[in-house]
């Protein structure tokens, strides 16, 4: 029996309806009988459909199966093969002796009161081009570079273009973190404590404008061990982020090497051990904010400008060890600052410090306990060390994309302890952070 054309549309609808319902209503049927194509073939064999009608129905089925195309929110205007819009928010509640662990001691010139604030509020666009280029544009609404007082505004963090044709030698140009200090180059969103250590803030060059070559030299020579060794060497202006001038005709030279002696399974647990070695060299003009810290007469720490030309030599070593839910990280940094003029405004000094951090995941990696000991020696007076211990609990609601961090920090000022009358020498702070990534 041949179905007339007026019934054709009804038959098509019925065919697709049966194709959708039969798997649910008759789970015992074979997979072939549970497809629209199988139903059409059955109707064709019984003479209900002609060859032409079967072809039309199949064509209609293929057309209906195509997913609807949606216009992306971000439209690439060039030859970008990938374009991603993202960002993250970090909201802090800070109570007690706020930022004492950073050298902002209570009753000092830069003491901080209890507060709520957005620690970071970043928006970024990243992408890749078919010609082996990738890029990133990121800014932070909480930086306010160049603004006076405690105001914040939007300013750039990472702005770079990277050529990655060869994994052994990427070439990167723009503004980004100079490759010095494990704590510093670790992403803000993956840190196990809410804030970095004082020695990191005091002795690392942070973000700089320049060019860098980096890569994994064993990528093709020894593919199965491509992550065994990687390197980064860069040349930067040395004047910090969002500064378009160089204070003199010399540059900041930075280098880092990483070695992974072991990566695999140990006692049934994912295990990785990584070692790092880095350093930098710079000659600076006078009145340049070096990013390092200067000791104050009351034991507090403030940003340091030498007011005369200087030379800086820094080096550091670090290690990170992971065994299943357990992580152990340690790092040591040291910097020598010496004058390069006949009538300097400061004497040569050596600043150094270290930290050791242990952490443990539990409850299916939803919760994490963290403990960190750190010590920083500004090297500018006797007994001017600042030491802190941090205890923390992290709740990973949805990994790093949505997490809650609680830190308690106890800090000692050695200088105030050895010089009574300058104020309290022990400090306590509670810090709560909520992080959302999008």
């Amino acid at each position: 029996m041949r179905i007339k054309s007026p019934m054709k549309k009804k038959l098509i609808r019925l065919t697709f309806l049966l194709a959708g319902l039969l798997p649910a209503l008759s789970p015992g049927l074979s997979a072939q009988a549970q497809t629209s194509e199988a139903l059409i073939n059955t109707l064709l064999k019984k003479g209900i459909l002609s060859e032409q009608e079967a072809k039309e129905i199949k064509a209609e089925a293929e057309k209906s199966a195509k997913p609807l195309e949606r216009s992306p929110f971000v439209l690439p205007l060039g030859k970008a093969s990938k374009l991603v819009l993202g960002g993250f928010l970090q909201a802090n509640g800070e109570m007690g002796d706020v930022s004492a662990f950073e050298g902002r001691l209570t009753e000092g010139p830069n003491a901080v009161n209890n507060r709520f604030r957005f620690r970071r509020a970043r928006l970024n666009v990243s992408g890749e081009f078919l010609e082996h280029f990738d890029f990133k544009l990121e800014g932070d609404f909480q930086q306010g570079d160049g603004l006076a007082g405690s105001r914040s505004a939007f300013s750039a963090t990472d702005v770079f273009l990277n050529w990655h044709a060869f994994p052994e030698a990427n070439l990167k140009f723009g503004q980004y973190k100079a490759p010095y200090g494990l704590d510093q180059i670790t992403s803000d969103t993956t840190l196990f404590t809410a804030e970095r250590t004082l020695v990191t803030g005091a002795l690392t060059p942070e973000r700089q404008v320049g060019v860098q070559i980096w890569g994994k030299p064993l990528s093709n020579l020894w593919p199965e061990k491509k992550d065994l060794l990687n390197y980064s060497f860069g040349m930067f202006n040395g004047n910090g982020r969002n500064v378009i001038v160089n204070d003199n005709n010399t540059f900041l030279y930075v280098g880092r090497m990483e070695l992974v002696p072991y990566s695999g399974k140990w006692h049934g647990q994912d295990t990785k051990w990584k070692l790092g070695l880095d350093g930098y060299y710079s000659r600076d003009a006078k009145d340049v904010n070096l990013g390092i810290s200067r000791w104050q007469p009351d034991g507090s720490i403030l940003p340091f400008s030498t007011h005369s030309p200087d030379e800086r030599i820094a080096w550091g070593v670090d290690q990170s060890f992971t065994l299943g839910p357990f992580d152990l990280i340690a790092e040591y940094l040291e910097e020598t600052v010496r004058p390069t003029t006949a009538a300097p405004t400061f004497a040569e000094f050596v600043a150094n410090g270290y930290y050791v951090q242990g952490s443990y995941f539990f409850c299916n990696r939803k919760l994490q306990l963290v403990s960190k000991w750190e010590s920083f020696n500004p090297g500018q007076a006797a007994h001017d060390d600042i030491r802190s211990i941090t205890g923390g609990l992290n709740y990973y609601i949805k990994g790093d994309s949505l997490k809650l961090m609680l830190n308690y920090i106890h800090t000692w000022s050695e200088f105030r302890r050895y010089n009574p009358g300058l104020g309290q020498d022990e400090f306590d702070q509670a810090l709560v952070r909520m992080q959302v990534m999008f």
Side-chain angles (χ1 to χ4, degrees):
M1 170 180 161
R2 187 67 50 84
I3 303 295
K4 301 299 183 181
S5 58
M7 300 182 62
K8 185 175 180 180
K9 290 185 179 179
K10 291 183 180 180
L11 181 59
I12 293 173
R13 293 192 186 98
L14 178 61
T15 301
F16 290 126
L17 178 63
L18 289 173
L21 291 179
L22 281 176
L25 298 176
S26 305
L29 295 177
S30 67
Q32 182 180 5
Q34 294 179 26
T35 65
S36 58
E37 185 175 359
L39 289 173
I40 293 172
N41 291 336
T42 300
L43 294 174
L44 181 62
K45 289 179 180 179
K46 291 182 177 294
I48 298 175
L49 292 177
S50 68
E51 291 282 351
Q52 181 62 32
E53 289 170 336
K55 288 181 180 179
E56 291 177 359
I57 294 174
K58 289 180 179 180
E60 185 70 23
E62 292 177 358
K63 182 178 179 181
S64 301
K66 291 183 179 179
L68 294 175
E69 294 185 359
R70 296 184 180 181
S71 298
F73 181 74
V74 181
L75 298 175
L77 298 180
K79 296 182 180 180
S81 59
K82 178 182 178 182
L83 200 59
V84 178
L85 176 67
F88 64 91
L89 297 173
Q90 293 179 335
N92 279 15
E94 303 169 0
M95 309 295 173
D97 300 306
V98 178
S99 293
F101 72 97
E102 296 176 317
R104 298 172 177 266
L105 305 184
T106 304
E107 303 171 3
N110 56 346
V112 180
N113 297 321
N114 295 342
R115 61 182 176 180
F116 295 103
R117 62 165 174 157
F118 274 110
R119 179 64 173 86
R120 297 177 180 91
R122 294 188 182 173
L123 190 65
N124 62 64
V125 177
S126 59
E128 295 183 5
F129 293 93
L130 299 178
E131 295 83 0
H132 305 295
F133 282 95
D134 60 87
F135 71 91
K136 183 178 182 180
L137 304 174
E138 182 183 75
D140 195 333
F141 287 91
Q142 293 299 307
Q143 282 187 161
D145 290 339
L147 296 181
S150 57
R151 295 177 57 200
S152 64
F154 186 83
S155 60
T157 52
D158 292 324
V159 182
F160 64 79
L161 185 66
N162 182 67
W163 183 62
H164 58 257
F166 305 103
E168 297 90 347
N170 286 230
L171 191 61
K172 188 175 183 179
F173 174 81
Q175 175 176 286
Y176 46 89
K177 289 183 178 180
Y180 180 77
L182 175 63
D183 194 28
Q184 178 60 260
I185 63 177
T186 301
S187 172
D188 300 313
T189 57
T190 60
L191 293 170
F192 292 162
T193 57
E195 299 293 347
R196 292 182 171 87
T197 62
L198 174 56
V199 63
T200 296
L203 300 185
T204 59
E206 219 255 358
R207 284 178 170 86
Q208 301 286 336
V209 179
V211 62
Q212 169 182 310
I213 184 171
W214 66 280
K216 299 180 178 182
L218 302 179
S219 294
N220 288 306
L221 290 175
W222 198 1
E224 60 271 22
K225 292 291 185 180
K226 64 179 181 179
D227 296 325
L228 176 65
L229 180 68
N230 65 74
Y231 72 94
S232 301
F233 294 103
M235 183 170 63
F236 305 89
N237 289 339
N239 292 82
R241 67 184 182 223
N242 300 321
V243 178
I244 62 174
V245 298
N246 190 352
D247 57 286
N248 56 24
N249 286 322
T250 65
F251 294 99
L252 166 69
Y253 301 94
V254 186
R256 178 173 174 82
M257 299 284 292
E258 291 183 345
L259 176 68
V260 182
Y262 184 81
S263 180
K265 291 282 187 179
W266 192 43
H267 295 287
Q269 301 279 358
D270 290 330
T271 305
K272 185 176 181 179
W273 184 33
K274 183 172 70 174
L275 305 175
L277 172 67
D278 45 28
Y280 71 80
Y281 173 82
S282 179
R283 293 178 67 92
D284 310 290
K286 66 176 183 178
D287 298 324
V288 174
N289 189 333
L290 303 181
I292 61 177
S293 297
R294 185 178 183 87
W295 165 85
Q296 299 297 301
D298 75 326
S300 299
I301 300 293
L302 289 176
F304 189 20
S305 177
T306 60
H307 301 301
S308 62
D310 69 81
E311 177 184 63
R312 290 181 287 154
I313 302 174
W315 64 277
V317 292
D318 57 77
Q319 78 87 41
S320 59
F321 176 74
T322 299
L323 176 60
F326 175 74
D327 290 273
L328 179 64
I329 302 172
E331 182 172 19
Y332 175 87
L333 299 173
E334 181 172 300
E335 181 171 354
T336 300
V337 184
R338 60 172 64 101
T340 57
T341 184
T345 60
F346 71 100
E348 177 179 333
F349 66 91
V350 178
N352 53 52
Y354 68 92
Y355 68 89
V356 179
Q357 175 182 285
S359 59
Y360 186 82
F361 283 99
F362 59 103
C363 290
N364 294 320
R365 301 185 74 87
K366 283 291 186 179
L367 297 176
Q368 182 188 35
L369 287 174
V370 185
S371 180
K372 179 171 66 179
W373 169 264
E374 61 179 282
S375 178
F376 175 59
N377 168 32
Q380 298 161 49
H383 308 294
D384 58 354
D385 298 42
I386 292 181
R387 299 186 177 96
S388 296
I389 186 169
T390 301
L393 175 65
N394 300 326
Y395 176 30
Y396 292 84
I397 303 170
K398 191 177 181 181
D400 288 315
S401 297
L402 182 61
K403 69 178 178 182
L404 181 66
M405 310 178 78
L406 174 62
N407 287 179
Y408 170 78
I409 310 168
H410 184 80
T411 301
W412 295 266
S413 167
E414 288 295 293
F415 188 79
R416 287 193 176 185
R417 184 167 73 89
Y418 279 91
N419 297 273
L422 295 177
Q424 68 187 82
D425 58 19
E426 294 191 33
F427 312 87
D428 296 279
Q429 177 186 346
L431 193 160
V432 181
R433 170 175 293 174
M434 172 63 77
Q435 174 175 295
V436 179
M437 299 176 65
F438 54 89

